[in-house]
Amino acid sequence: MTTTDSAAQGALAAPPFAVISGEQVQQVLAGREPEIAELVEAVYRLHGAGDAINPPSFFLRFPDRPSSRIIALPASLGGKLRVDGLKWISSFPENTKSGLPRASAVLILNDPETGYPFACLESSVISATRTASSAALAADRLSRTRQRPVRVGFVGTGLIARYIHTHLTGTGWEFEETGVYDLSPDSAAGFCGYLERSGAKGRFTVHDNAESLVRSSDLLVFATVAATPYIDDGSWFDHHPLVLHVSLRDLDPAILLASANFVDDVEHCLKAQTSPHLTEQLTGSREFLDGTLNDVLTGRVSVPGDRTVVFSPFGLGVLDLAVGKFVHDEVARRGGLHVVDGFFHELRRHG
């Protein structure tokens, strides 16, 4: 072995590998909505400044299970948040028929110095948290040129809808009325039960059709598992609501063409047959896009106050990394890391 090899070998060591459970993730994130909102905004700014790598997501699909998929989101985050990693998240909508959540996920965090993974975290909660925090941030920044919404409506009432409501109220939103619509009456009832337990203020209204909910809401949250657009009547939006189009495939291109459109990342959002992707295919251009959320954060783009505004976030892996690293560091600070001894075993190049 040369002197250089010895020095290099002495400078680097495989990090300990820890497993962080969903229970630990929830314990760290509960009640931290304002902190996560600041973290998410910081990540958007890093991404917008080019200090992040967010390759295209990879979709694993199954011919015998067409509604199901597993998605890989690799990413690398720079700046003070420096970390690499991968989210591996499945979406199996049929799970909900037996009461099992649709999505499950793990997040792998990698040490940027050695490339070694140093943590595996249960990530359905992390994914829901970053999605909800992103939506709440967008609701705040995209509503500053209009009267602040006081009537919120949820189309789709699963876990993501619950987390979005929690992050809205956790960052200062209060609503005079919360509207609910879901194809499953049981899911709508369950969401209302959550609203009551959360102490949410105002009236709760269950709608029996999407049109009624859309027309009566000035802030709309779409959090469904729709595979293709099913809302195509632009007159429903004549009151120009702010729309958080989180599930990405609910709105017909005609709705987007009549609205101001913002996304989290142009290249990510305009693929996989999302409503913005279908709109691009229909028009042959991207001129219908007004900008990204980071454009709004940095003041490069202004948000019209007299049109329907639609935010369509594809979801960025760098957000998962940031929230995951936040959880890891807090669990470590509390002394709760479950380290797998000997996880990396064969560490001698020549035995």
Side-chain angles (χ1 to χ4, degrees):
M1 180 181 294
T2 66
T3 302
T4 302
D5 288 341
S6 298
Q9 188 178 36
L12 296 175
F17 184 80
V19 176
I20 298 175
S21 70
E23 181 180 14
Q24 291 177 297
V25 172
Q26 284 193 312
Q27 289 172 348
V28 168
L29 294 176
R32 309 287 281 272
E33 290 85 9
E35 288 177 77
I36 300 303
E38 292 179 2
L39 178 63
V40 166
E41 179 172 349
V43 173
Y44 274 126
R45 290 179 180 273
L46 281 172
H47 180 63
D51 204 358
I53 303 171
N54 214 101
S57 303
F58 179 82
F59 287 71
L60 176 62
R61 299 186 183 276
F62 313 96
D64 61 329
R65 293 160 284 166
S67 68
S68 301
R69 63 185 187 269
I70 307 179
I71 312 172
L73 288 80
S76 177
L77 189 57
K80 296 180 180 179
L81 303 174
R82 193 164 177 243
V83 66
D84 307 327
L86 171 78
K87 180 172 75 170
W88 182 238
I89 182 167
S90 66
S91 175
F92 280 53
E94 296 299 311
N95 287 351
T96 59
K97 293 180 180 179
S98 61
L100 192 67
R102 170 188 62 86
S104 59
V106 293
L107 177 68
I108 300 294
L109 300 180
N110 291 75
D111 171 29
E113 294 296 331
T114 65
Y116 274 72
F118 63 88
C120 176
L121 301 87
E122 195 286 328
S123 197
S124 64
V125 173
I126 289 171
S127 186
T129 295
R130 63 84 150 151
T131 299
S133 186
S134 169
L137 176 66
D140 176 53
R141 294 311 181 95
L142 295 175
S143 64
R144 293 190 176 186
T145 56
R146 59 179 61 211
Q147 185 174 354
R148 191 170 173 90
V150 294
R151 301 174 301 161
V152 64
F154 289 86
V155 182
T157 54
L159 181 140
I160 296 298
R162 172 163 62 88
Y163 269 72
I164 290 174
H165 181 270
T166 297
H167 278 261
L168 285 169
T169 57
T171 52
W173 288 81
E174 292 184 359
F175 300 105
E176 296 175 0
E177 182 172 359
T178 300
V180 175
Y181 171 69
D182 198 290
L183 292 175
S184 166
D186 289 342
S187 183
F191 190 78
C192 288
Y194 149 74
L195 291 173
E196 293 173 356
R197 293 190 303 274
S198 72
K201 300 178 180 179
R203 301 183 303 275
F204 309 150
T205 303
V206 178
H207 295 256
D208 59 9
N209 60 79
E211 178 181 0
S212 171
L213 181 135
V214 170
R215 289 186 181 276
S216 64
S217 304
D218 42 23
L219 173 62
L220 280 160
V221 179
F222 285 92
T224 73
V225 294
T228 57
Y230 56 93
I231 293 181
D232 58 6
D233 190 337
S235 68
W236 296 8
F237 299 83
D238 283 347
H239 58 302
H240 302 318
L242 171 58
V243 182
L244 303 178
H245 188 207
V246 176
S247 40
L248 290 173
R249 297 172 179 85
D250 303 81
L251 304 179
D252 187 86
I255 305 295
L256 298 191
L257 289 173
S259 306
N261 293 280
F262 297 89
V263 297
D264 54 356
D265 182 277
V266 175
E267 296 300 328
H268 278 71
C269 197
L270 271 65
K271 66 179 182 181
Q273 302 301 303
T274 63
S275 294
H277 187 202
L278 296 177
T279 305
E280 179 189 31
Q281 294 175 350
L282 177 67
T283 63
S285 78
R286 299 178 172 182
E287 293 183 1
F288 68 94
L289 293 178
D290 291 72
T292 66
L293 181 56
N294 185 63
D295 289 333
V296 177
L297 295 175
T298 56
R300 287 195 294 268
V301 173
S302 59
V303 182
D306 58 352
R307 298 171 62 195
T308 297
V309 173
V310 179
F311 177 56
S312 300
F314 195 82
L316 301 179
V318 286
L319 294 176
D320 296 280
L321 291 186
V323 176
K325 184 66 163 47
F326 176 90
V327 170
H328 171 274
D329 291 351
E330 180 61 18
V331 173
R333 188 188 68 80
R334 298 178 182 183
L337 283 181
H338 300 305
V339 174
V340 182
D341 292 331
F343 186 82
F344 300 112
H345 178 66
E346 187 58 87
L347 297 174
R348 298 175 64 89
R349 291 183 63 198
H350 304 292

